[in-house]
Coordinates of all heavy atoms in Angstrom, one line a residue:
M325 N 76.7 97.5 70.1 CA 77.9 96.9 70.7 C 78.8 96.1 69.7 O 78.5 95.1 69.3 CB 77.4 95.8 71.7 CG 76.9 96.5 73.2 SD 78.4 96.9 74.1 CE 77.6 98.0 75.2
P326 N 79.8 96.8 69.3 CA 80.6 96.2 68.2 C 81.7 95.2 68.8 O 82.2 94.5 67.9 CB 81.4 97.4 67.6 CG 81.6 98.5 68.7 CD 80.2 98.1 69.5
S327 N 81.9 95.2 70.1 CA 82.9 94.4 70.6 C 82.5 93.0 71.0 O 83.1 92.3 71.7 CB 83.5 95.1 71.8 OG 82.7 95.3 72.8
L328 N 81.2 92.6 70.7 CA 80.8 91.3 71.1 C 81.5 90.3 70.3 O 81.6 90.2 69.0 CB 79.3 91.2 70.9 CG 78.4 91.7 71.9 CD1 76.9 91.5 71.5 CD2 78.6 90.9 73.2
G329 N 82.1 89.3 71.1 CA 82.8 88.2 70.4 C 84.3 88.6 70.1 O 85.3 88.2 70.6
A330 N 84.3 89.5 68.9 CA 85.7 89.9 68.6 C 86.5 90.8 69.6 O 85.8 91.5 70.3 CB 85.7 90.5 67.2
S331 N 87.7 90.6 69.7 CA 88.6 91.5 70.6 C 89.3 92.4 69.8 O 90.3 91.9 69.1 CB 89.3 90.6 71.6 OG 90.2 89.8 71.0
P332 N 89.0 93.8 69.5 CA 89.7 94.6 68.6 C 91.1 95.0 69.2 O 91.3 94.9 70.4 CB 88.8 95.8 68.5 CG 88.0 95.8 69.9 CD 87.8 94.4 70.3
E333 N 92.0 95.3 68.3 CA 93.3 95.6 68.7 C 93.2 97.0 69.2 O 92.8 98.0 68.5 CB 94.4 95.4 67.6 CG 94.5 93.9 67.3 CD 95.8 93.8 66.4 OE1 96.2 94.8 65.8 OE2 96.3 92.7 66.4
V334 N 93.7 97.3 70.4 CA 93.8 98.7 70.9 C 95.2 99.1 71.3 O 95.9 98.2 71.8 CB 93.0 98.7 72.3 CG1 93.1 99.9 73.0 CG2 91.5 98.4 72.1
P335 N 95.6 100.3 71.0 CA 97.0 100.8 71.2 C 97.2 100.9 72.6 O 96.4 101.4 73.4 CB 97.1 102.1 70.4 CG 95.7 102.5 70.2 CD 94.9 101.4 70.2
C336 N 98.3 100.5 73.1 CA 98.8 100.7 74.5 C 98.8 102.2 74.8 O 99.4 103.0 74.0 CB 100.1 99.9 74.8 SG 101.0 100.6 76.4
A337 N 98.4 102.6 76.0 CA 98.3 104.0 76.3 C 99.9 104.6 76.4 O 100.0 105.8 76.4 CB 97.6 104.3 77.6
R338 N 100.7 103.8 76.6 CA 102.1 104.3 76.9 C 103.0 104.0 75.7 O 103.6 105.0 75.1 CB 102.8 103.5 78.1 CG 104.0 104.1 78.6 CD 104.3 103.9 80.1 NE 105.6 104.1 80.4 CZ 106.6 103.2 80.2 NH1 106.4 102.0 79.7 NH2 107.8 103.6 80.5
C339 N 103.2 102.8 75.2 CA 104.2 102.6 74.2 C 103.4 102.5 72.7 O 104.1 102.6 71.7 CB 105.0 101.3 74.5 SG 104.0 99.8 74.4
G340 N 102.0 102.4 72.7 CA 101.5 102.4 71.4 C 101.4 101.2 70.7 O 100.8 101.1 69.6
S341 N 101.9 100.1 71.3 CA 101.9 98.8 70.6 C 100.4 98.3 70.6 O 99.8 98.3 71.7 CB 102.8 97.8 71.1 OG 102.6 97.5 72.5
R342 N 100.0 97.7 69.6 CA 98.5 97.3 69.4 C 98.4 95.9 70.1 O 99.0 95.1 69.7 CB 98.0 97.4 68.0 CG 98.2 98.8 67.4 CD 97.6 98.8 66.0 NE 96.1 99.1 66.1 CZ 95.6 100.3 66.2 NH1 96.4 101.4 66.3 NH2 94.3 100.5 66.3
I343 N 97.5 95.8 71.1 CA 97.2 94.5 71.7 C 95.8 94.3 71.7 O 95.0 95.0 71.9 CB 97.6 94.7 73.3 CG1 98.9 95.4 73.5 CG2 97.5 93.3 73.9 CD1 100.1 94.4 73.1
A344 N 95.6 92.9 71.1 CA 94.1 92.6 71.2 C 93.5 92.4 72.5 O 94.1 91.8 73.4 CB 94.0 91.3 70.4
G345 N 92.3 93.0 72.7 CA 91.6 92.7 74.1 C 92.0 93.6 75.0 O 91.4 93.6 76.2
L346 N 92.8 94.7 74.8 CA 93.3 95.7 75.7 C 92.0 96.7 75.9 O 91.4 97.0 74.9 CB 94.4 96.4 75.3 CG 95.4 97.0 76.4 CD1 96.0 96.1 77.4 CD2 96.4 97.9 75.7
A347 N 91.8 97.2 77.0 CA 90.8 98.3 77.2 C 91.4 99.6 76.8 O 92.7 99.7 76.9 CB 90.4 98.3 78.7
W348 N 90.6 100.5 76.3 CA 91.1 101.8 75.9 C 91.7 102.6 77.1 O 91.1 102.5 78.2 CB 89.9 102.7 75.4 CG 89.7 102.2 73.8 CD1 88.7 101.5 73.4 CD2 90.5 102.6 72.8 NE1 88.9 101.4 72.1 CE2 89.8 102.1 71.6 CE3 91.7 103.4 72.6 CZ2 90.4 102.1 70.3 CZ3 92.1 103.6 71.3 CH2 91.5 103.0 70.2
G349 N 92.9 103.2 76.8 CA 93.5 103.9 77.9 C 94.3 103.0 78.8 O 95.0 103.6 79.8
E350 N 94.3 101.7 78.6 CA 95.1 100.8 79.4 C 96.5 100.7 78.8 O 96.8 101.0 77.7 CB 94.5 99.5 79.5 CG 93.3 99.3 80.4 CD 93.7 99.4 81.9 OE1 94.6 98.7 82.3 OE2 93.3 100.4 82.6
R351 N 97.4 100.1 79.8 CA 98.8 99.9 79.2 C 98.8 98.3 79.0 O 98.2 97.5 79.5 CB 99.8 100.3 80.3 CG 100.2 101.8 80.1 CD 100.8 102.2 81.4 NE 99.9 102.0 82.5 CZ 99.6 103.2 83.1 NH1 100.1 104.2 82.9 NH2 98.7 103.0 84.1
C352 N 99.9 98.0 78.1 CA 100.0 96.5 77.8 C 100.8 95.9 78.9 O 101.3 96.6 79.8 CB 100.7 96.4 76.5 SG 102.5 97.0 76.6
A353 N 100.9 94.6 79.0 CA 101.5 93.9 80.1 C 102.9 94.4 80.4 O 103.3 94.4 81.5 CB 101.3 92.4 79.8
Q354 N 103.6 94.5 79.2 CA 105.0 94.9 79.3 C 105.2 96.2 80.0 O 106.1 96.4 80.9 CB 105.6 95.0 77.9 CG 106.2 93.7 77.5 CD 106.5 93.7 75.9 OE1 106.0 94.6 75.2 NE2 107.2 92.7 75.4
C355 N 104.3 97.2 79.7 CA 104.4 98.6 80.3 C 104.0 98.5 81.7 O 104.6 99.2 82.6 CB 103.5 99.6 79.5 SG 104.3 100.0 77.9
R356 N 103.0 97.7 82.0 CA 102.5 97.5 83.4 C 103.6 96.9 84.3 O 103.9 97.3 85.4 CB 101.3 96.7 83.5 CG 100.0 97.5 83.3 CD 98.9 96.8 83.9 NE 98.6 95.4 83.5 CZ 98.0 95.0 82.3 NH1 97.4 95.9 81.6 NH2 97.9 93.8 82.0
A357 N 104.4 95.9 83.7 CA 105.6 95.3 84.5 C 106.6 96.3 84.6 O 107.1 96.4 85.7 CB 105.9 94.0 83.7
E358 N 106.9 97.1 83.7 CA 107.9 98.1 83.7 C 107.6 99.1 84.8 O 108.4 99.5 85.6 CB 108.1 98.7 82.4 CG 108.8 100.1 82.3 CD 110.2 100.0 82.6 OE1 110.8 99.0 82.3 OE2 110.8 101.2 82.9
L359 N 106.3 99.5 84.8 CA 105.8 100.5 85.7 C 105.9 100.0 87.1 O 106.4 100.7 88.1 CB 104.3 100.8 85.5 CG 103.7 102.0 86.2 CD1 104.3 103.3 85.6 CD2 102.2 102.0 86.0
S360 N 105.5 98.7 87.3 CA 105.5 98.2 88.8 C 107.0 97.9 89.2 O 107.3 98.0 90.4 CB 104.6 97.0 88.9 OG 105.2 95.9 88.1
R361 N 107.8 97.7 88.3 CA 109.3 97.5 88.6 C 109.8 98.9 89.1 O 110.5 99.0 90.1 CB 110.1 97.1 87.4 CG 110.6 95.6 87.4 CD 111.7 95.4 86.6 NE 111.6 96.0 85.3 CZ 111.1 95.3 84.4 NH1 110.5 94.2 84.4 NH2 111.0 96.0 83.2
R362 N 109.5 100.0 88.4 CA 110.0 101.3 88.6 C 109.4 101.7 90.1 O 110.1 102.3 90.8 CB 109.7 102.3 87.6 CG 110.9 102.3 86.6 CD 110.4 103.1 85.4 NE 109.7 104.3 85.7 CZ 108.7 104.9 84.9 NH1 108.5 104.4 83.7 NH2 108.2 106.0 85.3
A363 N 108.1 101.4 90.1 CA 107.4 101.9 91.5 C 107.9 101.2 92.6 O 108.2 101.7 93.8 CB 105.9 101.6 91.3
G364 N 108.3 99.9 92.4 CA 109.0 99.1 93.4 C 110.3 99.6 93.9 O 110.6 99.5 95.0
R365 N 111.1 100.0 92.9 CA 112.4 100.5 93.2 C 112.3 101.8 94.0 O 113.0 101.9 95.0 CB 113.1 100.8 92.0 CG 114.1 99.6 91.5 CD 115.2 100.2 90.6 NE 114.8 100.8 89.5 CZ 114.5 100.3 88.3 NH1 114.6 99.0 88.1 NH2 114.1 101.1 87.4
L366 N 111.4 102.7 93.6 CA 111.2 103.9 94.3 C 110.6 103.7 95.7 O 111.1 104.3 96.6 CB 110.1 104.8 93.5 CG 109.9 106.2 94.1 CD1 111.1 107.1 94.0 CD2 108.7 106.8 93.2
A367 N 109.7 102.8 95.8 CA 109.2 102.5 97.1 C 110.2 101.9 98.1 O 110.2 102.2 99.3 CB 107.9 101.6 97.0
N368 N 111.1 101.1 97.5 CA 112.3 100.5 98.3 C 113.1 101.6 98.8 O 113.5 101.6 99.9 CB 113.0 99.5 97.4 CG 113.3 98.2 98.1 OD1 112.8 97.9 99.1 ND2 114.3 97.6 97.6
R369 N 113.4 102.6 97.9 CA 114.2 103.6 98.4 C 113.7 104.4 99.4 O 114.2 104.8 100.5 CB 114.7 104.5 97.1 CG 116.1 104.6 97.0 CD 116.4 105.4 95.6 NE 116.1 104.4 94.5 CZ 115.8 105.0 93.2 NH1 115.9 106.2 93.0 NH2 115.6 104.2 92.3
I370 N 112.4 104.8 99.3 CA 111.7 105.7 100.3 C 111.6 104.8 101.6 O 111.8 105.5 102.6 CB 110.2 106.0 99.8 CG1 110.3 106.9 98.5 CG2 109.4 106.6 100.8 CD1 109.0 107.1 97.7
S371 N 111.2 103.6 101.6 CA 111.0 102.8 102.8 C 112.5 102.7 103.6 O 112.5 102.6 104.8 CB 110.3 101.6 102.5 OG 111.1 100.8 101.6
L372 N 113.5 102.5 102.8 CA 114.8 102.4 103.3 C 115.2 103.7 104.1 O 115.7 103.6 105.2 CB 115.9 102.1 102.3 CG 115.9 100.5 101.9 CD1 116.9 100.3 100.9 CD2 116.2 99.6 103.2
A373 N 114.8 104.8 103.4 CA 115.1 106.1 104.1 C 114.3 106.3 105.3 O 114.8 106.8 106.4 CB 114.9 107.2 103.1
A374 N 113.1 105.8 105.3 CA 112.3 106.1 106.5 C 112.7 105.1 107.5 O 112.7 105.5 108.8 CB 110.8 105.7 106.0
T375 N 113.2 103.9 107.1 CA 113.7 102.9 108.2 C 114.9 103.5 108.8 O 115.1 103.3 110.0 CB 113.9 101.7 107.6 OG1 112.7 101.2 106.7 CG2 114.3 100.5 108.5
V376 N 115.8 104.0 108.1 CA 117.1 104.6 108.7 C 116.7 105.7 109.6 O 117.2 105.7 110.7 CB 118.0 105.1 107.5 CG1 119.2 105.9 108.1 CG2 118.6 104.0 106.7
L377 N 115.8 106.6 109.1 CA 115.3 107.6 110.1 C 114.7 107.2 111.4 O 115.0 107.6 112.6 CB 114.4 108.7 109.4 CG 114.9 109.4 108.3 CD1 113.9 110.3 107.7 CD2 116.0 110.5 108.9
M378 N 113.8 106.2 111.2 CA 113.2 105.5 112.4 C 114.3 104.9 113.3 O 114.2 104.9 114.4 CB 112.2 104.5 111.9 CG 111.3 104.0 113.0 SD 110.2 105.2 113.8 CE 109.5 104.2 115.0
G379 N 115.2 104.2 112.7 CA 116.3 103.5 113.4 C 117.1 104.5 114.3 O 117.4 104.2 115.4
A380 N 117.4 105.7 113.6 CA 118.1 106.6 114.2 C 117.3 107.3 115.5 O 117.9 107.5 116.4 CB 118.5 107.9 113.3
Y381 N 116.1 107.5 115.2 CA 115.3 108.0 116.3 C 115.1 107.0 117.4 O 115.3 107.4 118.6 CB 113.8 108.2 115.7 CG 112.8 108.7 116.8 CD1 112.8 109.8 117.4 CD2 111.8 107.7 117.1 CE1 111.8 110.1 118.4 CE2 110.9 107.9 118.1 CZ 110.9 109.1 118.7 OH 109.9 109.3 119.7
V382 N 115.0 105.7 117.1 CA 114.9 104.8 118.2 C 116.2 104.6 118.9 O 116.2 104.6 120.2 CB 114.4 103.4 117.5 CG1 114.8 102.2 118.5 CG2 113.0 103.4 117.0
A383 N 117.2 104.7 118.2 CA 118.6 104.5 118.9 C 118.8 105.7 119.8 O 119.4 105.5 120.8 CB 119.6 104.5 117.8
L384 N 118.4 106.9 119.5 CA 118.6 107.9 120.2 C 117.6 108.2 121.4 O 118.0 108.7 122.4 CB 118.5 109.4 119.3 CG 119.7 109.4 118.4 CD1 119.3 110.6 117.4 CD2 121.0 109.6 119.0
S385 N 116.4 107.8 121.2 CA 115.4 108.1 122.1 C 115.1 107.0 123.1 O 114.6 107.2 124.1 CB 114.0 108.5 121.5 OG 113.6 107.5 120.9
M386 N 115.3 105.7 122.7 CA 114.9 104.6 123.5 C 116.0 104.5 124.7 O 117.2 104.6 124.4 CB 114.9 103.3 122.8 CG 113.7 103.2 121.8 SD 112.3 102.7 122.8 CE 111.1 102.7 121.5
P387 N 115.5 104.0 126.0 CA 116.6 103.8 126.9 C 117.2 102.4 126.6 O 116.6 101.7 125.9 CB 115.6 103.6 128.3 CG 114.3 103.4 127.7 CD 114.2 104.1 126.4
P388 N 118.5 102.2 127.2 CA 119.2 101.0 126.7 C 118.7 100.0 127.5 O 119.5 99.1 127.9 CB 120.6 101.6 127.0 CG 120.5 102.5 128.1 CD 119.3 103.2 128.0
Q389 N 117.5 99.5 127.7 CA 117.0 98.4 128.2 C 116.6 97.4 127.2 O 116.2 97.8 126.2 CB 115.8 98.7 129.2 CG 116.2 99.2 130.6 CD 115.3 100.4 131.0 OE1 114.2 100.5 130.4 NE2 115.9 101.3 131.8
P390 N 116.7 96.1 127.6 CA 116.5 95.0 126.5 C 115.1 95.1 125.9 O 115.0 95.1 124.8 CB 116.8 93.7 127.3 CG 117.6 94.1 128.4 CD 117.4 95.6 128.8
M391 N 114.1 95.4 126.8 CA 112.7 95.4 126.2 C 112.5 96.6 125.4 O 111.9 96.6 124.3 CB 111.8 95.5 127.5 CG 111.4 94.1 128.1 SD 111.2 92.7 126.8 CE 109.4 93.0 126.4
A392 N 113.0 97.7 125.8 CA 112.9 98.9 125.1 C 113.6 98.8 123.7 O 113.1 99.2 122.6 CB 113.5 100.1 125.8
R393 N 114.7 98.1 123.7 CA 115.4 97.8 122.4 C 114.6 97.0 121.6 O 114.6 97.0 120.2 CB 116.9 97.3 122.7 CG 117.7 98.3 123.4 CD 119.2 98.0 123.3 NE 120.1 99.1 123.6 CZ 120.3 100.0 122.8 NH1 120.1 99.7 121.5 NH2 121.1 101.0 123.2
L394 N 114.0 96.0 122.2 CA 113.2 95.0 121.4 C 112.0 95.7 120.7 O 111.8 95.6 119.5 CB 112.6 94.0 122.2 CG 111.8 92.9 121.6 CD1 112.6 92.0 120.5 CD2 111.2 91.9 122.6
Y395 N 111.3 96.5 121.6 CA 110.1 97.2 120.9 C 110.7 98.3 119.9 O 110.0 98.5 118.9 CB 109.5 98.1 122.0 CG 108.6 97.1 123.0 CD1 108.7 97.3 124.3 CD2 107.7 96.2 122.3 CE1 107.9 96.3 125.1 CE2 106.8 95.4 123.1 CZ 107.0 95.5 124.5 OH 106.3 94.7 125.2
G396 N 111.7 98.8 120.1 CA 112.4 99.7 119.1 C 112.6 99.0 117.8 O 112.3 99.5 116.7
A397 N 113.1 97.8 117.8 CA 113.4 97.1 116.7 C 112.2 96.7 116.0 O 112.2 96.8 114.6 CB 114.2 95.7 117.0
I398 N 111.2 96.3 116.7 CA 109.8 96.0 116.2 C 109.4 97.2 115.4 O 108.7 97.0 114.3 CB 108.9 95.5 117.2 CG1 109.3 94.1 117.7 CG2 107.5 95.3 116.6 CD1 108.6 93.6 118.9
A399 N 109.3 98.3 116.1 CA 108.9 99.6 115.5 C 109.7 99.9 114.2 O 109.1 100.3 113.1 CB 109.2 100.8 116.4
V400 N 111.0 99.6 114.2 CA 111.8 99.9 112.9 C 111.3 98.9 111.7 O 111.2 99.3 110.7 CB 113.2 99.7 113.2 CG1 114.0 99.7 111.9 CG2 113.7 100.7 114.2
V401 N 111.1 97.7 112.1 CA 110.8 96.7 111.1 C 109.3 97.0 110.6 O 108.9 97.0 109.3 CB 110.7 95.2 111.7 CG1 110.1 94.2 110.6 CG2 112.2 94.8 112.0
A402 N 108.4 97.4 111.5 CA 107.0 97.7 111.1 C 107.0 99.0 110.3 O 106.3 99.0 109.3 CB 106.2 98.1 112.4
T403 N 107.9 100.0 110.5 CA 107.9 101.2 109.8 C 108.3 100.7 108.3 O 107.8 101.2 107.4 CB 109.1 102.1 110.3 OG1 108.8 102.5 111.6 CG2 109.3 103.3 109.5
Y404 N 109.4 99.9 108.2 CA 109.8 99.5 106.9 C 108.6 98.9 106.1 O 108.3 99.2 104.9 CB 110.9 98.5 106.9 CG 111.3 97.9 105.6 CD1 112.1 98.7 104.7 CD2 111.0 96.7 105.1 CE1 112.5 98.3 103.5 CE2 111.3 96.2 103.9 CZ 112.1 97.0 103.1 OH 112.4 96.6 101.7
I405 N 107.9 97.9 106.7 CA 106.8 97.1 106.0 C 105.6 98.1 105.7 O 105.3 98.1 104.4 CB 106.3 96.0 106.9 CG1 107.3 95.0 107.2 CG2 105.0 95.4 106.4 CD1 107.1 93.9 108.2
V406 N 105.3 98.9 106.6 CA 104.2 99.8 106.3 C 104.5 100.9 105.3 O 103.7 101.1 104.3 CB 103.7 100.5 107.6 CG1 102.7 101.7 107.4 CG2 103.1 99.6 108.6
V407 N 105.7 101.5 105.4 CA 106.1 102.5 104.5 C 106.2 102.0 103.0 O 105.9 102.6 102.1 CB 107.4 103.3 104.9 CG1 107.9 104.3 103.8 CG2 107.1 104.0 106.2
R408 N 106.9 100.7 103.0 CA 107.1 100.0 101.7 C 105.8 99.8 101.1 O 105.7 100.0 99.8 CB 107.8 98.6 102.1 CG 108.0 97.9 100.8 CD 109.2 98.4 100.0 NE 109.4 97.5 98.9 CZ 108.8 97.5 97.8 NH1 107.7 98.2 97.7 NH2 109.0 96.6 96.8
R409 N 104.8 99.4 101.9 CA 103.5 99.1 101.2 C 102.8 100.4 100.7 O 102.3 100.4 99.6 CB 102.5 98.5 102.1 CG 101.3 97.8 101.5 CD 100.7 96.9 102.5 NE 101.5 95.9 102.8 CZ 101.2 94.9 103.8 NH1 100.1 95.0 104.4 NH2 102.0 93.9 104.1
I410 N 102.8 101.5 101.5 CA 102.2 102.8 101.1 C 102.9 103.4 100.0 O 102.3 103.8 99.1 CB 102.1 103.7 102.4 CG1 101.2 103.1 103.3 CG2 101.6 105.0 101.9 CD1 101.2 103.8 104.7
A411 N 104.2 103.5 100.1 CA 105.1 104.2 99.1 C 104.8 103.4 97.7 O 104.7 104.0 96.7 CB 106.5 104.0 99.5
G412 N 104.6 102.0 97.7 CA 104.4 101.3 96.5 C 103.2 101.7 95.9 O 103.1 101.8 94.7
R413 N 102.1 101.8 96.6 CA 100.8 102.1 96.1 C 100.8 103.6 95.5 O 100.3 103.9 94.4 CB 99.8 102.0 97.2 CG 98.4 101.9 96.6 CD 97.4 101.3 97.6 NE 97.9 100.0 98.0 CZ 97.3 99.3 99.1 NH1 96.4 99.7 99.8 NH2 97.8 98.1 99.4
V414 N 101.4 104.5 96.3 CA 101.4 105.9 96.0 C 102.3 106.1 94.7 O 101.9 106.8 93.7 CB 102.1 106.9 97.1 CG1 102.3 108.3 96.6 CG2 101.1 106.8 98.2
A415 N 103.5 105.3 94.6 CA 104.4 105.4 93.4 C 103.5 104.8 92.1 O 103.7 105.5 91.1 CB 105.5 104.6 93.7
M416 N 102.9 103.8 92.3 CA 102.1 103.3 91.2 C 101.1 104.4 90.7 O 100.8 104.5 89.5 CB 101.3 102.1 91.6 CG 102.1 100.9 91.6 SD 102.7 100.3 90.0 CE 101.3 99.4 89.4
E417 N 100.4 105.0 91.7 CA 99.3 106.0 91.3 C 100.1 107.2 90.6 O 99.6 107.8 89.6 CB 98.6 106.6 92.6 CG 97.7 105.6 93.2 CD 96.6 105.4 92.2 OE1 96.0 106.2 91.6 OE2 96.3 104.1 92.0
M418 N 101.2 107.7 91.1 CA 101.9 108.9 90.6 C 102.4 108.6 89.2 O 102.6 109.5 88.4 CB 103.0 109.3 91.6 CG 102.3 110.2 92.8 SD 103.5 110.4 94.1 CE 104.8 111.3 93.1
M419 N 102.8 107.4 88.9 CA 103.5 107.0 87.6 C 102.4 106.8 86.5 O 102.9 106.5 85.4 CB 104.4 105.9 87.8 CG 105.7 106.1 88.6 SD 106.5 104.8 88.7 CE 108.0 105.4 89.5
K420 N 101.2 106.9 86.8 CA 100.2 106.7 85.7 C 100.3 107.8 84.6 O 100.6 108.9 84.8 CB 98.9 106.7 86.4 CG 98.3 105.4 86.8 CD 96.9 105.5 87.3 CE 96.5 104.1 87.7 NZ 95.3 104.0 88.5
Ligands
ZN420 ZN1 102.9 99.2 76.3

């Protein structure tokens, strides 16, 4: 066990800058932040598109009663939240 006590410098898997205490194959904090920023942007775009589609579907298919419109609005908001979360996770996985 050569790593007891000392933390060797390990190159970042993406940019190659050597960081002490990094695990092999891991990215440095900067690259991880950059990655999650990009994943967040992508997830935002996907979820907005899904929300627009859901909004169009609700607007076209719901009867014009107040309760139906309320449920439609809730469905649209829920679509945004759920898709945003899933797309964020998938984007993070795909960008590895
Ligand atoms: Zn890096």
Side-chain angles (χ1 to χ4, degrees):
M325 276 288 159
S327 63
L328 274 181
S331 55
E333 293 196 338
V334 172
C336 164
R338 188 159 167 272
C339 69
S341 64
R342 304 184 82 84
I343 309 289
L346 203 68
W348 281 101
E350 280 293 302
R351 276 163 294 241
C352 67
Q354 274 162 344
C355 288
R356 276 204 304 272
E358 159 76 16
L359 191 75
S360 68
R361 250 202 317 277
R362 270 171 41 211
R365 265 205 305 272
L366 182 65
N368 223 17
R369 237 171 289 162
I370 292 169
S371 55
L372 279 178
T375 305
V376 168
L377 285 176
M378 187 65 181
Y381 170 75
V382 164
L384 291 174
S385 66
M386 285 284 181
Q389 282 135 20
M391 277 318 276
R393 291 195 166 272
L394 178 67
Y395 286 129
I398 291 170
V400 170
V401 172
T403 299
Y404 178 77
I405 293 168
V406 170
V407 173
R408 177 76 179 73
R409 192 167 301 173
I410 294 171
R413 201 159 302 167
V414 171
M416 281 293 278
E417 287 297 314
M418 280 169 59
M419 284 178 182
K420 268 183 180 168

